[in-house]
Amino acid sequence: MVLLGERVTSRRWGVRATVLVAALVALVAVVVLSIAFGSNRLPLGSVWHALFSYSGTFEDVVIRDDRLPRTLLGLAVGVGLGLAGALLQAITRNPVADPGLLGINHGAAVAIVLGGAVFSVSSPEQLVWFAFFGALAGTVLVTVIGGSVSPLRLVLAGVAVQAVFVGINQGMQMINTHSLDQMRYWLVGSLVNRNLDSLAGLLPFFLAALVIAGVLARPLNAIALGDDSARGLGANPALIRAAGMIAVGLLSATATAACGPIAFVGLMIPHVVRALVGQDERWVLPLSALLGPVLLLGCDVLGRLLGGNGEIQVGVMTDVIGGVAFVIVARRLKAVRR
């Protein structure tokens, strides 16, 4: 029996290590594709030259000033969305919890639109505070209305809250046409025309959320056993959930402040990760953070290729792919209940 247990443990570690390596390889591959592919496809030699031997050629400028900032932003936002979804699902013990699907990201978007239209705030490091409180307001509303016991009730509450936030955004834009011109690409979820200065301003909030998530990995395993068992193991479920929601709020706020509300990344990625490595949050959280940007940047590259001379914004691509994924997840949950 002991030898059998050791074999199972060894095999599990082998599978998880393989998934980790595969995730790293996929991440490197999608980063290269994001820099090389677009309306103008550039050879890998041009990418290498722009990154390490910059001389001011057209290809160098395109890569350094456009595609590299866009790729780095996609990396950060993908990490944030994947990790926020994994945290939210672990905290609520709800398999369909996602910051975009439950209206949290749209709460952040409403606050950002209000900050720009009413208070004339434009810098990302200031907007992130509006986004954080908007995300927090969305979280509280969804939790109060839907609770966390029934996945269906939580989703219905999220859809209702999201509809209200979208209506407020549209009303603000109709009143202020200048705001509409500024915000329309941002509100659909886009990585276009972003620069590294905006990313640098958001970095402290992002890093703080990553630290909180890292600390919570082991305690989240405890509350997965139930609150009573968690207390017996020395954990404080209320404190863990509060810290987790702060991390989710920060991650959602920074992602939304950077590129607008993007849904479904936080829903899809944790399900894929748990299917591969199991329920241990010490593996689920970091792998969700790795695979989040793989999905986001992959959707961004696909949108560029399918858009012809223009491009399809990444928020549209994730909505299309995520809608299909949500149907699959819902059918799986229904089959499990039967």
Side-chain angles (χ1 to χ4, degrees):
M1 292 295 291
V2 174
L3 290 176
L4 180 60
E6 290 178 351
R7 287 180 183 175
V8 171
T9 301
S10 178
R11 183 178 179 183
R12 185 179 299 162
W13 273 93
V15 170
R16 289 171 174 175
T18 302
V19 172
L20 177 61
V21 172
L24 290 171
V25 171
L27 183 59
V28 172
V30 80
V31 165
V32 173
L33 291 174
S34 179
I35 296 175
F37 280 77
S39 55
N40 294 315
R41 301 183 186 182
L42 301 176
L44 293 181
S46 297
V47 174
W48 183 269
H49 183 273
L51 295 178
F52 301 103
S53 304
Y54 184 84
S55 60
T57 64
F58 173 75
E59 291 83 1
D60 289 349
V61 172
V62 168
I63 291 172
R64 283 285 191 95
D65 295 346
D66 179 28
R67 294 189 185 175
L68 182 60
R70 180 173 183 163
T71 300
L72 292 176
L73 182 63
L75 274 172
V77 171
V79 168
L81 293 175
L83 188 56
L87 279 171
L88 196 57
Q89 289 175 17
I91 292 166
T92 62
R93 285 186 283 178
N94 192 320
V96 294
D98 168 61
L101 187 63
L102 299 186
I104 296 174
N105 288 352
H106 280 279
V110 166
I112 288 174
V113 171
L114 289 174
V118 178
F119 301 100
S120 300
V121 176
S122 59
S123 66
E125 56 268 25
Q126 292 177 321
L127 285 175
V128 72
W129 288 105
F130 286 87
F132 175 71
F133 287 110
L136 183 62
T139 302
V140 171
L141 280 173
V142 171
T143 302
V144 170
I145 296 172
S148 60
V149 176
S150 169
L152 177 60
R153 185 176 175 184
L154 190 69
V155 170
L156 291 175
V159 170
V161 170
Q162 180 173 313
V164 172
F165 285 150
V166 170
I168 293 173
N169 270 334
Q170 292 175 341
M172 290 294 297
Q173 292 172 66
M174 293 301 294
I175 294 171
N176 188 337
T177 56
H178 178 64
S179 173
L180 172 61
D181 292 336
Q182 286 185 319
M183 293 289 185
R184 59 178 180 169
Y185 281 111
W186 179 83
L187 283 173
V188 81
S190 174
L191 299 175
V192 178
N193 296 327
R194 303 298 193 264
N195 56 59
L196 294 181
D197 291 337
S198 61
L199 181 60
L202 300 173
L203 201 56
F205 306 96
F206 182 72
L207 293 176
L210 290 184
V211 171
I212 296 172
V215 171
L216 289 179
R218 186 182 294 273
L220 285 173
N221 282 336
I223 66 171
L225 302 173
D227 287 3
D228 292 336
S229 298
R231 292 189 189 95
L233 294 172
N236 186 331
L239 181 60
I240 293 169
R241 290 193 176 95
M245 290 311 300
I246 290 173
V248 170
L250 285 173
L251 291 168
S252 301
T254 51
T256 307
C259 63
I262 295 178
F264 289 112
V265 174
L267 173 68
M268 290 185 280
I269 291 300
H271 278 277
V272 172
V273 171
R274 290 190 177 97
L276 293 172
V277 301
Q279 303 295 323
D280 190 340
E281 298 298 333
R282 294 173 297 177
W283 284 90
V284 171
L285 295 183
L287 283 171
S288 296
L290 280 177
L291 291 178
V294 172
L295 175 61
L296 188 68
L297 288 174
C299 287
D300 189 42
V301 172
L302 189 60
R304 292 184 231 172
L305 297 179
L306 295 179
N309 293 328
E311 64 178 81
I312 303 172
Q313 301 303 318
V314 66
V316 177
M317 295 300 301
T318 57
D319 282 346
V320 172
I321 296 173
V324 176
F326 181 72
V327 171
I328 295 172
V329 170
R331 289 181 65 86
R332 283 186 60 189
L333 290 175
K334 185 177 180 180
V336 169
R337 286 182 179 179
R338 286 180 179 175

